[in-house]
Amino acid sequence: VGRQLDAAAVYELETLAAQPRAPAAAGSGEQVKPLDLGGERGEYHTMCLDGPLYGRRVAVTLTQPLELQSQPGQREGERWWTLGFAEGSVEAGC
Protein backbone atom coordinates (compact mmCIF):
# COMPACT_ATOMS: atom_id res chain seq x y z
CA VAL A 1 0.00 0.00 0.00
CA GLY A 2 1.46 3.31 -1.04
CA ARG A 3 4.52 1.58 -2.49
CA GLN A 4 5.71 1.80 -6.07
CA LEU A 5 5.76 -1.55 -7.86
CA ASP A 6 9.40 -1.49 -8.93
CA ALA A 7 11.99 -4.25 -9.40
CA ALA A 8 12.82 -4.36 -5.68
CA ALA A 9 9.14 -4.73 -4.73
CA VAL A 10 8.62 -7.50 -7.31
CA TYR A 11 11.68 -9.33 -5.97
CA GLU A 12 10.34 -9.06 -2.40
CA LEU A 13 6.93 -10.39 -3.48
CA GLU A 14 8.50 -13.29 -5.41
CA THR A 15 10.63 -14.16 -2.35
CA LEU A 16 7.53 -14.23 -0.13
CA ALA A 17 5.64 -16.35 -2.65
CA ALA A 18 8.50 -18.89 -2.80
CA GLN A 19 8.39 -19.58 0.94
CA PRO A 20 7.03 -22.99 2.01
CA ARG A 21 3.43 -23.46 3.03
CA ALA A 22 2.55 -22.83 6.68
CA PRO A 23 -0.51 -23.52 8.86
CA ALA A 24 -3.34 -21.11 8.03
CA ALA A 25 -4.84 -21.02 11.52
CA ALA A 26 -4.23 -22.80 14.77
CA GLY A 27 -5.75 -26.26 14.63
CA SER A 28 -7.23 -25.87 11.12
CA GLY A 29 -4.80 -28.26 9.42
CA GLU A 30 -4.96 -26.05 6.33
CA GLN A 31 -1.60 -25.21 4.74
CA VAL A 32 -1.26 -21.97 2.77
CA LYS A 33 1.49 -20.01 1.07
CA PRO A 34 2.34 -16.67 2.72
CA LEU A 35 1.56 -14.85 -0.54
CA ASP A 36 -0.26 -15.86 -3.71
CA LEU A 37 1.08 -13.78 -6.61
CA GLY A 38 -2.16 -14.48 -8.50
CA GLY A 39 -4.13 -12.82 -5.69
CA GLU A 40 -6.19 -15.98 -5.07
CA ARG A 41 -6.31 -15.36 -1.30
CA GLY A 42 -7.54 -11.78 -1.62
CA GLU A 43 -4.14 -10.10 -1.79
CA TYR A 44 -5.31 -7.63 -4.42
CA HIS A 45 -8.36 -5.40 -4.36
CA THR A 46 -9.14 -2.83 -6.99
CA MET A 47 -11.67 -0.10 -7.63
CA CYS A 48 -12.37 1.36 -11.05
CA LEU A 49 -12.41 5.16 -11.05
CA ASP A 50 -12.78 5.83 -14.76
CA GLY A 51 -13.70 4.04 -17.95
CA PRO A 52 -15.80 4.13 -21.11
CA LEU A 53 -19.01 3.28 -19.23
CA TYR A 54 -18.58 6.15 -16.74
CA GLY A 55 -20.24 9.52 -17.32
CA ARG A 56 -17.11 11.08 -15.81
CA ARG A 57 -14.16 10.10 -13.68
CA VAL A 58 -14.74 9.40 -9.98
CA ALA A 59 -12.36 11.84 -8.29
CA VAL A 60 -11.08 10.81 -4.87
CA THR A 61 -8.42 11.88 -2.40
CA LEU A 62 -6.99 8.98 -0.45
CA THR A 63 -5.84 9.02 3.15
CA GLN A 64 -2.46 7.70 4.25
CA PRO A 65 -2.15 3.87 4.31
CA LEU A 66 -3.30 2.39 7.61
CA GLU A 67 -2.31 -1.03 8.94
CA LEU A 68 -5.25 -2.88 10.44
CA GLN A 69 -4.54 -5.06 13.45
CA SER A 70 -6.59 -7.57 15.48
CA GLN A 71 -9.43 -7.62 12.95
CA PRO A 72 -12.08 -10.37 12.96
CA GLY A 73 -10.79 -13.17 10.72
CA GLN A 74 -7.23 -11.81 10.66
CA ARG A 75 -4.80 -14.62 11.27
CA GLU A 76 -1.70 -14.26 13.44
CA GLY A 77 1.16 -12.88 11.38
CA GLU A 78 -1.07 -11.49 8.61
CA ARG A 79 -0.63 -7.82 7.74
CA TRP A 80 -3.72 -6.02 6.47
CA TRP A 81 -3.60 -2.51 5.00
CA THR A 82 -6.29 -0.13 3.87
CA LEU A 83 -6.64 3.24 2.19
CA GLY A 84 -9.57 5.46 3.04
CA PHE A 85 -11.19 8.37 1.30
CA ALA A 86 -10.54 11.80 2.70
CA GLU A 87 -13.76 13.33 3.98
CA GLY A 88 -15.70 15.11 1.25
CA SER A 89 -13.29 13.97 -1.45
CA VAL A 90 -15.53 11.69 -3.53
CA GLU A 91 -17.13 13.34 -6.56
CA ALA A 92 -19.09 10.87 -8.67
CA GLY A 93 -21.16 11.41 -11.78
CA CYS A 94 -23.65 9.07 -13.42
Side-chain angles (χ1 to χ4, degrees):
V1 173
R3 181 173 176 187
Q4 187 173 20
L5 191 57
D6 57 13
V10 171
Y11 176 78
E12 186 177 333
L13 292 171
E14 289 174 337
T15 301
L16 279 172
Q19 291 181 5
R21 293 180 177 269
S28 75
E30 181 185 7
Q31 297 278 313
V32 296
K33 294 196 80 61
L35 174 68
D36 183 316
L37 288 177
E40 293 295 325
R41 291 186 48 231
E43 287 88 347
Y44 313 123
H45 297 276
T46 60
M47 179 179 13
C48 185
L49 300 175
D50 196 5
L53 299 177
Y54 283 47
R56 63 183 172 141
R57 182 181 188 284
V58 178
V60 298
T61 302
L62 299 176
T63 62
Q64 289 295 313
L66 173 68
E67 184 170 8
L68 302 175
Q69 299 177 353
S70 303
Q71 298 295 305
Q74 187 175 10
R75 297 178 179 139
E76 186 174 335
E78 287 184 335
R79 296 184 70 191
W80 292 5
W81 295 85
T82 187
L83 290 173
F85 297 113
E87 189 173 333
S89 71
V90 180
E91 297 176 17
C94 297

